[in-house]
Amino acid sequence: MQTVTDAFHAAAGKSSFIRKMFEKGIELKQQYGEDAVCDFSLGNPDVPPPEAARAVLPQLADDAVRPLGLGYCPNAGIPACRAAIAGYLAKQQGLPLEGKDVIITVGAASALVCFFRSTLDAGDEIIVPSPYFVEYGNYCGHFGGVLKPVPTHEDFTLDISAIAAAITPKTRAILVNSPNNPTGTIYKRAELEELAALVEKVNAERGDQARPLFILSDEPYRAFAYDGAEVPAMLPMSKYVLVLGSFSKTLSMAGERIGYIAVNPELSKADNGALLTTLTLVNRTLGYVNAPVIGQKLAAAICNETVDLDIYKRRHDLMAKVLTDAGIEFTMPRGAFYFFPKAPGGDDAKFVDALLEEKILAVPGSGFGRAGYIRLSCAVEEKIIARSAEGFKRAAEKCR
Ligand code: PLP
């Protein structure tokens, strides 16, 4: 029988693709200099946080040096910060939410970990449309959860029939991420409504209110939507939807580790707040105790702002041009800051190696559950994208 540790190591192996490229990048930069390397491997947001942060931070310094200014706070977050983030989410999701419906977590990552710790039994399954963010396997693997990737259509839209066919009595959640890492896809309203209707139907058939099937909507890239694309709000679609997210990308504060999990008030009414209570307890006992205090206050103060999205839009358009000029096929992403083009010749590892020879770093699609593609992150300056153009052409030519 596979142990929790075996399952965890299997998942961890996959995420090491990104790590490997990260380490390769450091090596190349040391060898040839920072400017010589075009590093599209990591999604670490490099655009500065909004200017509004500058005005807030001195006030936070005053707060911090008071007694308990940097002390422990309630497990679910500072009440005023929960209320502010609930207000932000209520507007975004079009549903009345209060502070009690929202738990502040250590990034979207720990929001997912808290959910898995709160709900999974060993062997429970999490369905994820693939390609997908590889760390998901580690997050649920800690608790014996098994990630069950279900391929999307060729254009990365959801294959709802395939998802329906993959559901078993052990399925605990369907985890969707839109705008998506690694493809940049934004799922359309009709796709998400169909998914929500499927989950409602499964729960009605199960009749087991103690172990319902959930939809986890992982939304750290919500603000990154181009050319007027709609990012539909999922929370009102079903009481079984949980919305998770963070300010890592939208406010460029990934190092402060501030995320959230919002529970539909209808679900809390139905389960007497049991899920919220468990999530709150687990948020502490996993060892975080509470999300960083200065980060909570900063995020709460500026949560209605975003980084300068025009910068990402310009990079997005430039990367599309670089790939088109190199004759590389791709589905134009409508959101996030990634591209997931096809590897010319079909072998992603070979194409990544050919790019490396050009000092261009990319991650093979195999690491995201879809061989034959590569992932490029546009968390880099425009001048680097422009500089990579000739290298992409030569590498693509070599692999055809
Ligand atoms: N979900 C997705 C799809 C991501 O790409 C990331 C980070 O890159 C996360 C979750 C975790 O983000 P954080 O914990 O910084 O909020």
Side-chain angles (χ1 to χ4, degrees):
M1 201 187 112
Q2 194 184 43
T3 64
V4 170
T5 317
D6 291 339
F8 180 72
H9 285 309
K14 278 200 187 145
S15 69
S16 65
F17 273 103
I18 301 179
R19 196 78 217 163
K20 198 176 131 208
M21 294 316 293
F22 177 63
E23 279 155 16
K24 190 77 205 165
I26 294 174
E27 195 186 305
L28 283 180
K29 283 171 196 165
Q30 277 168 353
Q31 203 175 341
Y32 297 103
E34 287 276 334
D35 278 357
V37 182
C38 302
D39 187 352
F40 301 116
S41 65
L42 268 194
N44 196 4
D46 64 320
V47 169
E51 265 302 305
R54 199 185 294 280
V56 175
L57 283 164
Q59 296 161 25
L60 298 186
D62 286 341
D63 271 6
V65 294
R66 296 203 176 116
L68 289 179
L70 295 174
Y72 292 123
C73 71
N75 303 334
I78 300 165
C81 298
R82 290 174 79 188
I85 294 172
Y88 153 81
L89 289 170
K91 204 160 18 141
Q92 171 199 100
Q93 297 286 326
L95 200 73
L97 290 172
E98 295 172 30
K100 67 173 174 46
D101 303 312
V102 174
I103 295 173
I104 303 181
T105 58
V106 186
S110 88
L112 286 161
V113 169
C114 285
F115 172 83
F116 293 138
R117 179 66 191 91
S118 299
T119 57
L120 291 187
D121 286 333
D124 277 353
E125 295 163 353
I126 309 297
I127 290 178
V128 65
S130 70
Y132 60 95
F133 177 54
V134 273
E135 300 277 300
Y136 290 154
N138 300 328
Y139 300 161
C140 67
H142 284 302
F143 314 108
V146 181
L147 206 63
K148 209 167 167 186
V150 173
T152 52
H153 293 296
E154 182 69 19
D155 62 355
F156 307 127
T157 53
L158 295 176
D159 186 342
I160 304 284
S161 319
I163 291 174
I167 295 172
T168 73
K170 282 183 168 288
T171 312
R172 203 68 171 103
I174 301 169
L175 169 52
V176 286
N177 163 227
S178 173
N180 184 266
N181 175 12
T183 66
T185 307
I186 298 177
Y187 300 132
K188 299 246 167 65
R189 177 171 290 280
E191 291 171 86
L192 296 171
E193 283 176 349
E194 208 184 329
L195 186 70
L198 170 68
V199 165
E200 289 279 345
K201 181 171 153 276
V202 169
N203 282 329
E205 283 163 9
R206 277 189 184 177
D208 181 359
Q209 286 310 304
R211 279 183 60 82
L213 173 63
F214 291 99
I215 295 178
L216 302 177
S217 183
D218 179 28
E219 306 188 354
Y221 301 96
R222 164 165 275 280
F224 299 83
Y226 306 110
D227 303 320
E230 183 204 13
V231 183
M234 282 215 78
L235 208 55
M237 291 186 193
S238 162
K239 69 174 186 234
Y240 300 108
V241 172
L242 304 178
V243 168
L244 324 156
S246 76
F247 301 100
S248 292
K249 322 281 174 176
T250 55
L251 296 177
S252 271
M253 48 182 282
E256 284 303 306
R257 313 299 308 127
I258 301 301
Y260 51 82
I261 183 161
V263 178
N264 190 318
E266 284 301 310
L267 181 81
S268 300
K269 217 188 284 171
D271 76 353
N272 262 328
L275 181 62
L276 270 173
T277 304
T278 311
L279 288 167
T280 305
L281 176 74
V282 158
N283 203 27
R284 184 183 91 229
T285 57
L286 278 172
Y288 321 124
V289 183
N290 52 253
V293 166
I294 297 211
Q296 284 192 51
K297 291 182 180 173
L298 178 60
I302 63 170
C303 60
N304 293 305
E305 306 270 334
T306 63
V307 292
D308 183 350
L309 297 170
D310 288 344
I311 297 177
Y312 283 102
K313 166 71 176 143
R314 286 198 296 274
R315 293 172 177 183
H316 190 256
D317 291 348
L318 183 57
M319 181 58 95
K321 182 173 178 335
V322 165
L323 295 175
T324 305
D325 289 351
I328 296 170
E329 267 182 72
F330 63 97
T331 301
M332 185 67 178
R334 299 190 320 136
F337 45 72
Y338 303 104
F339 278 71
F340 201 66
K342 277 192 176 159
D347 182 338
D348 51 348
K350 185 173 165 199
F351 186 44
V352 164
D353 283 345
L355 288 170
L356 258 183
E357 282 172 28
E358 301 290 341
K359 303 189 192 68
I360 296 173
L361 272 75
V363 185
S366 313
F368 298 90
R370 176 85 50 108
Y373 292 76
I374 61 161
R375 190 198 73 168
L376 302 168
S377 163
C378 291
V380 292
E381 288 178 80
E382 262 178 90
K383 66 177 186 198
I384 294 174
I385 302 175
R387 202 193 303 138
S388 69
E390 293 309 309
F392 270 109
K393 282 186 197 161
R394 283 191 294 268
E397 199 48 52
K398 207 182 279 178
C399 292
R400 274 192 195 102

